[in-house]
Amino acid sequence: MSSVALSAPAPPRRAWATDLPVLLVAFVWGASYLAAKGITTTHTVIAVLVLRFAIVLPVLVVAGRRRLRALSAQQWRGAGLLGLVLSLIFLLETYGVVHTSATNAGLIISLTMIFTPLAEAAVTRVRPPRAFLAAAGLSVAGVVLLTQGGGFTSPSAGDFLMLLAALARTVHVLAMARIGAVQEADSLSLTTVQLASAVAVFAVLAAVPGTGPAPWTVAADFGATEWAGLVFLSVFCTLFAFFVQAWSVRRTSPSRVSLLLGTEPLWAAAVGISLGGERLGLLGGLGAVLVLGGTAWGRRSVDRLTAEAGRP
């Protein structure tokens, strides 16, 4: 959700000082699936989403109030439109993680790294390299096996929702690249307007009868564990993650940041298995390896093609 600016890599002896916070972001994002699963039920998804982002939104508004005032009307409309897509992503992800394991959720959502270059190739009508297509096939096969951890069964509704969330993330990335009005907006303002738009959607849905209890009702029923999970999602997975990304891309290369953030599914699986007591089974374990290998291979293929295209 943040714009990326190229900068000179940090000196090797200090690289760890930049890498460690970024790696921590990948960890908290990976852990977010189990955290969301722990505090959310089918009936409280919308209320939890309202609470999660209503907590951080005032902080972002105060931190970036001057930049927000500098946005043009077109930039407000563009960021607001992106926020509508973002609200769909969070709805699909949160409903999805309620109905599947945190491990599956983190691994399936990583398919965004495969879907985005494929979608971009379809839009630009430029055929992706064969290596990337092979990597995409490997990842898809991995997802099929991942959903069969307990034997050959039908994928769960949550698995399908996470797959749709990965597709929605792809739409969001492409929209950010193609909506010209937001190209010159700074990342903090863009993120703030998007989250405000998403919170507005969640608030409207929360007011519709039959969509679950009101946010304040859910908040009143939260115990210490649930509040800890909500604060983790709000403060660490949103505020902390945004500011680390904005800080890191000025001190190292975007490719290095992307590589470190790409470890998110690894952390999702590690947290889901070690803390959530989840089990993949033989087929699921093989599927996880294929997903991780396929997305890593695909990312390297795209990075290599981009580097070659940039050569004089």
Side-chain angles (χ1 to χ4, degrees), residues 44-169:
T44 63
V45 167
I46 295 174
V48 168
L49 286 172
V50 172
L51 293 171
R52 173 180 176 178
F53 296 108
I55 290 175
V56 300
L57 189 58
V59 179
L60 292 174
V61 170
V62 171
R65 59 189 181 280
R66 292 182 180 177
R67 297 174 183 176
L68 284 171
R69 287 196 293 266
L71 292 178
S72 67
Q74 284 186 325
Q75 288 174 329
W76 275 93
R77 286 194 295 269
L81 179 60
L82 289 171
L84 297 180
V85 181
L86 191 65
S87 67
L88 176 62
I89 294 171
F90 282 120
L91 284 168
L92 289 170
E93 286 184 357
T94 311
Y95 274 114
V97 79
V98 169
H99 295 288
T100 190
S101 68
T103 302
N104 277 24
L107 290 167
I108 292 174
I109 203 68
S110 70
L111 287 179
T112 303
M113 289 183 284
I114 294 294
F115 291 158
T116 301
L118 286 176
E120 189 174 16
V123 171
T124 59
R125 297 184 180 180
V126 176
R127 183 181 176 86
R130 291 181 180 179
F132 180 82
L133 293 176
L138 195 67
S139 298
V140 172
V143 168
V144 173
L145 289 177
L146 180 66
T147 62
Q148 310 301 314
F152 286 101
T153 59
S154 299
S156 69
D159 294 330
F160 279 120
L161 288 172
M162 294 309 300
L163 192 60
L164 291 175
L167 291 171
R169 279 196 184 190

Side-chain angles (χ1 to χ4, degrees), residues 22-299:
V22 177
L23 198 59
L24 186 55
V25 169
F27 170 75
V28 298
W29 278 353
S32 68
Y33 300 102
L34 187 62
K37 190 175 181 67
I39 67 171
T40 314
T41 68
T42 304
H43 303 293
T44 63
V45 167
I46 295 174
V48 168
L49 286 172
V50 172
L51 293 171
R52 173 180 176 178
F53 296 108
I55 290 175
V56 300
L57 189 58
V59 179
L60 292 174
V61 170
V62 171
R65 59 189 181 280
R66 292 182 180 177
R67 297 174 183 176
L68 284 171
R69 287 196 293 266
L71 292 178
S72 67
Q74 284 186 325
Q75 288 174 329
W76 275 93
R77 286 194 295 269
L81 179 60
L82 289 171
L84 297 180
V85 181
L86 191 65
S87 67
L88 176 62
I89 294 171
F90 282 120
L91 284 168
L92 289 170
E93 286 184 357
T94 311
Y95 274 114
V97 79
V98 169
H99 295 288
T100 190
S101 68
T103 302
N104 277 24
L107 290 167
I108 292 174
I109 203 68
S110 70
L111 287 179
T112 303
M113 289 183 284
I114 294 294
F115 291 158
T116 301
L118 286 176
E120 189 174 16
V123 171
T124 59
R125 297 184 180 180
V126 176
R127 183 181 176 86
R130 291 181 180 179
F132 180 82
L133 293 176
L138 195 67
S139 298
V140 172
V143 168
V144 173
L145 289 177
L146 180 66
T147 62
Q148 310 301 314
F152 286 101
T153 59
S154 299
S156 69
D159 294 330
F160 279 120
L161 288 172
M162 294 309 300
L163 192 60
L164 291 175
L167 291 171
R169 279 196 184 190
T170 298
V171 171
H172 186 261
V173 172
L174 292 182
M176 286 187 68
R178 301 183 80 81
I179 297 179
V182 303
Q183 297 304 309
E184 299 302 321
D186 73 279
S187 55
L188 176 59
S189 298
L190 183 60
T191 300
T192 302
V193 176
Q194 286 187 83
L195 287 182
S197 179
V199 169
V201 171
F202 302 145
V204 169
L205 291 176
V208 175
T211 56
W216 50 86
T217 302
V218 173
D221 291 336
F222 272 0
T225 301
E226 288 77 14
W227 274 110
L230 184 64
V231 169
F232 174 76
L233 290 171
S234 298
V235 176
F236 289 95
C237 299
T238 306
L239 275 181
F240 171 75
F242 167 77
F243 284 110
V244 166
Q245 287 182 88
W247 169 82
S248 63
V249 295
R250 291 175 174 84
R251 289 163 175 79
T252 185
S253 68
S255 297
R256 191 176 184 88
V257 173
S258 176
L259 179 64
L260 293 169
L261 292 179
T263 63
E264 175 190 346
L266 283 172
W267 297 114
V271 171
I273 293 171
S274 62
L275 299 181
E278 298 176 353
R279 295 291 181 269
L280 285 175
L282 181 60
L283 289 177
L286 177 59
V289 171
L290 292 180
V291 169
L292 294 172
T295 52
W297 185 16
R299 187 169 59 248

